[in-house]
RNA sequence: CGGGGUGUAGCUUAGCUUGGUAGAGCGCCUGGUUUGGGACCAGGAGGUCGCAGGUUCGAAUCCUGUCGCCCCGACCA
């Protein structure tokens, strides 16, 4: 089966007629197949999700973008609570000394830390200059293992104090060289779960449990299939014993790490001194985990589902499920149309989707119907409902779906709409998920020869690389040398070593050495 | 941080080679006609041409430096 993400847009274009088609075919220019990175930025602008700020690498998340993040937060927070976690908040500033305690951690994060060295500004010759140097500089958290570890060390005395199962919603700062809206910003929003356990087995189980939470969230809410597995040593979190991840494929066939869960062993508890007296009276170090997802999920969502007309939101994560658009061509019927729109919205809100009332917006702005419709198309709202004077007479409204060409509309009796919308939302959700699965299936290849591998990851046009490649399932001898070589040659890395109940041994096509199992290779964000 | 590209109104851009103090389209505002698919007519607002120096009688244009952004590389969620 050939999955074509552009099919919808083409069908839409074929339906177009009149002056519009001469003017503009798609809302977003360039199209995905012309220039994917530029398309991505234009979608963000067209949907009014975010913009770059005056500080390099930082972004302003605008209301519609933030609403998507809030939806993610709401569902994840619920899932964390269901798995026994509670929220807390730890400081933004970390004493420099804390960061020095775990060697691998220092190595991993030292290069990208913002450091606070002063606590006062003085006005000199009209310029503000920092004064009041701090005795010990403070690091703006790039992640919170160290400062949370220090707190856990204070809190834990006995095995009865364990486990500690906390999460925090916070911002973190990593001074990135190449920022990209949502995908990699100097400051980003995330959640970080931090747990401490009595036994190794318990901590390992926790690590895996939270990975499963992320996987379920991605599949059920974002409609994005993800591969799960373990990171190779070179991709592991600094200081972790094992790093597990969910990896998604987006429409340029690159991989994106959408969430991680780390088994930290006793590394951080030894560094921070998280010790307790066990059931046998012996003093032991706790076993810790950490796990997180960030606003990168918003970028992942955009790249996974959106099309050449803008954002496409899966209903289960959309801030609004439906928008009612009053069409008010005549002054004398305007009040009636607006009133009917409100009545329709109100009745629609009595319907429920996925266990909650259908979220409805009414766009009562005094603008042309086409203008308003296009705005909501670009914002990715799953369902648009237009209601105008003719509908009033007939008791109907025109229903359009974001997963269908934008010209398609179905006139439904108003009375049927509250009953019908939840079904449509369900169809859109499962349709987007199915399409994403099919897309990934099409671009996931099992391969055994080096030649095939290199061909797969080499664009035909090197000057202006077309969308190519995907995920390659190939054997690997487990050596960092092979990883290094492939990365240098093709910019392809091991995204994860999939969990495999019965691994199929084979031969590494790059070294000829023995391989325990196939691993997932891809270009990545 | 290295290589390449690029900065002119909110967006897209003309002008730069051959210096003479800025033009368009979209968007925005007002009025009218419109509104079921990104409307039309008329009027209007908006730019110290990224910033700082320099050359010159005069700089968007030439020179130097610097900053931002984009792409590639290193690094990363």
């Amino acid at each position: 089966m050939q999955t074509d993400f552009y099919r919808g847009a083409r069908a839409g274009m074929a339906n177009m007629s009149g002056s519009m088609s001469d003017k503009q075919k798609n809302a977003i220019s360039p199209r995905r197949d012309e220039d994917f990175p530029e398309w991505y930025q234009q979608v963000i602008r067209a949907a009014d999700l975010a913009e770059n700020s005056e500080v390099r690498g930082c972004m302003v998340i605008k209301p519609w973008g933030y609403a998507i993040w809030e939806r993610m937060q709401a569902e994840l927070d619920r899932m964390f609570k269901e798995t026994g976690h509670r929220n807390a908040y730890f400081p933004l500033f970390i004493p420099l000394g804390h960061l020095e305690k775990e060697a691998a951690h220092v190595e991993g994060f030292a290069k990208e830390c913002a450091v606070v060295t002063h606590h006062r500004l003085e006005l000199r010759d009209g310029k503000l200059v920092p004064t009041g140097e701090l005795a010990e500089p403070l690091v703006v958290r790039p992640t919170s293992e160290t400062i949370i570890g220090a707190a856990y060390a204070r809190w834990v005395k006995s095995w009865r104090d364990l486990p500690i199962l906390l999460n925090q919603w916070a911002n973190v700062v990593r001074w990135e060289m190449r920022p990209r809206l949502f995908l990699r910003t100097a400051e980003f929003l995330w959640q970080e779960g931090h747990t401490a356990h009595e036994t190794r087995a318990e901590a390992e189980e926790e690590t895996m449990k939270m990975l499963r939470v992320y996987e379920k969230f991605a599949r059920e809410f974002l409609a994005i299939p993800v591969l799960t597995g373990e990171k190779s040593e070179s991709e592991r979190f600094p200081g972790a014993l094992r790093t597990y991840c969910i990896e998604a494929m987006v429409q340029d066939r690159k991989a994106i790490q959408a969430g991680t869960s780390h088994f930290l062993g006793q590394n951080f508890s030894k560094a921070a001194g998280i010790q307790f007296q066990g059931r046998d009276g012996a003093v032991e170090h706790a076993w810790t985990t950490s796990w997180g997802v960030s606003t990168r999920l918003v970028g992942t969502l955009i790249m996974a589902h959106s099309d050449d007309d803008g954002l496409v939101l899966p209903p289960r994560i959309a801030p609004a499920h439906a928008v009612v658009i009053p069409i008010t061509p005549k002054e004398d019927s305007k009040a009636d149309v607006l009133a009917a729109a409100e009545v329709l919205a109100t009745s629609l809100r009595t319907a429920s989707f996925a266990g909650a009332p259908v979220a409805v917006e009414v766009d009562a702005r005094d603008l042309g119907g086409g203008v308003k419709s296009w705005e909501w198309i670009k914002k990715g709202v799953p369902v648009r409902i237009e209601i105008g004077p003719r509908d009033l007479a007939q008791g109907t409204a025109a229903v359009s779906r974001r997963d269908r060409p934008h010209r398609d509309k179905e006139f439904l009796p108003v009375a049927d709409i509250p009953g019908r919308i939840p079904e449509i939302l369900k169809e859109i959700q499962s349709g987007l998920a199915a399409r994403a699965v099919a897309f990934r299936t099409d671009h996931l290849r099992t391969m055994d020869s080096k030649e095939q591998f290199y061909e797969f990851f080499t664009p035909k046009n090197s000057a202006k690389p077309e969308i190519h490649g995907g995920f390659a399932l190939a054997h690997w001898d487990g050596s960092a040398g092979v990883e290094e070589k492939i990365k240098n040659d093709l910019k392809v890395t091991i995204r994860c070593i999939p969990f495999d109940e019965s691994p199929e041994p084979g031969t590494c096509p790059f070294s000829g050495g023995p391989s325990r199992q196939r691993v997932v290779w891809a270009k990545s964000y």
Side-chain angles (χ1 to χ4, degrees), chain A residues 469-492:
Chain A
F471 286 3
L473 273 171
H475 280 291
W476 173 51
D477 65 8
S479 75
V482 164
E483 270 184 294
E484 184 72 18
K485 167 96 170 107
I486 301 298
K487 189 175 179 179
N488 288 337
D489 286 0
L490 298 169
K491 294 162 207 133
V492 169

Side-chain angles (χ1 to χ4, degrees), chain A residues 81-106:
Chain A
K81 302 271 169 64
E82 281 172 8
T83 44
H85 303 85
R86 289 183 300 167
N87 286 328
Y89 186 80
F90 294 87
L92 172 69
F93 299 124
I94 299 177
L96 201 54
H98 279 27
L99 224 53
E100 291 166 348
K101 287 178 184 166
E102 214 294 325
H105 202 59
V106 176

Side-chain angles (χ1 to χ4, degrees), chain A residues 121 283 381:
Chain A
L121 291 170
V283 175
V381 172

Side-chain angles (χ1 to χ4, degrees), chain A residues 70-312:
Chain A
E70 285 182 307
R71 284 287 305 128
M72 292 179 177
Q73 284 185 297
E75 298 299 343
L76 285 165
D77 200 65
R78 181 183 51 72
M79 293 167 95
F80 298 156
K81 302 271 169 64
E82 281 172 8
T83 44
H85 303 85
R86 289 183 300 167
N87 286 328
Y89 186 80
F90 294 87
L92 172 69
F93 299 124
I94 299 177
L96 201 54
H98 279 27
L99 224 53
E100 291 166 348
K101 287 178 184 166
E102 214 294 325
H105 202 59
V106 176
E107 176 73 23
F109 286 109
K111 293 183 290 291
E112 50 184 17
C113 285
V115 184
V116 179
T117 53
H118 294 75
H119 64 88
R120 183 183 298 168
L121 291 170
E122 272 178 21
L123 196 58
R124 286 186 208 154
D125 303 327
K127 299 259 186 208
L128 283 171
V129 293
T131 65
E133 191 168 350
L134 297 173
E136 186 185 18
L138 298 171
V139 177
V140 180
R141 62 179 165 223
T143 178
S144 303
E145 273 76 8
T146 58
I147 199 158
I148 291 179
Y152 285 8
R154 292 194 297 272
W155 299 346
V156 175
K157 297 283 182 251
S158 148
W159 65 272
R160 293 177 214 274
D161 296 326
L162 296 171
I164 300 182
L165 306 172
L166 297 185
N167 174 66
Q168 82 165 344
W169 291 96
N171 58 338
V172 285
V173 170
R174 297 180 188 175
W175 217 259
E176 294 294 344
M177 297 303 173
R178 256 181 70 193
R180 284 254 259 148
L181 285 171
F182 290 113
L183 300 175
R184 184 176 297 108
T185 47
E187 179 192 11
F188 57 93
L189 307 183
W190 76 348
Q191 63 60 221
E192 46 181 326
H194 293 272
T195 69
H197 305 264
E198 184 185 354
T199 66
R200 177 181 182 122
E202 212 182 294
E204 284 183 325
E205 189 192 332
E206 166 79 7
T207 311
M208 203 56 68
K209 181 198 283 176
M210 299 320 288
L211 185 75
R212 294 301 172 208
V213 165
Y214 290 151
E215 181 187 18
K216 183 177 156 84
F217 173 75
R219 281 187 211 282
E220 292 187 2
F221 290 89
L222 308 183
I224 299 173
V226 289
L227 294 178
T228 58
E230 185 180 348
K231 284 293 187 189
S232 68
E233 188 178 353
S234 64
E235 301 265 336
R236 194 177 292 156
F237 178 76
L241 254 48
R242 290 167 177 273
T243 287
Y244 301 104
C245 62
I246 56 170
E247 290 281 332
M249 183 191 287
V250 292
Q251 292 181 67
D252 62 354
R253 304 186 207 165
K254 284 164 83 171
I256 183 163
Q257 179 175 311
T260 49
S261 186
H262 314 293
F263 171 58
L264 304 174
Q266 294 175 309
N267 289 352
F268 285 89
S269 62
K270 282 177 179 167
I274 310 174
Q275 286 178 300
F276 64 95
Q277 204 165 6
R279 295 166 202 258
D280 58 0
V283 175
E284 297 172 55
H285 283 102
W287 299 84
T288 65
T289 80
S290 69
W291 28 274
V293 296
S294 71
T295 36
R296 175 178 257 202
L297 282 177
V298 178
T300 305
L301 185 70
I302 295 165
M303 292 196 292
H305 296 303
S306 299
D307 63 19
D308 296 328
D309 286 325
L311 191 63
V312 175

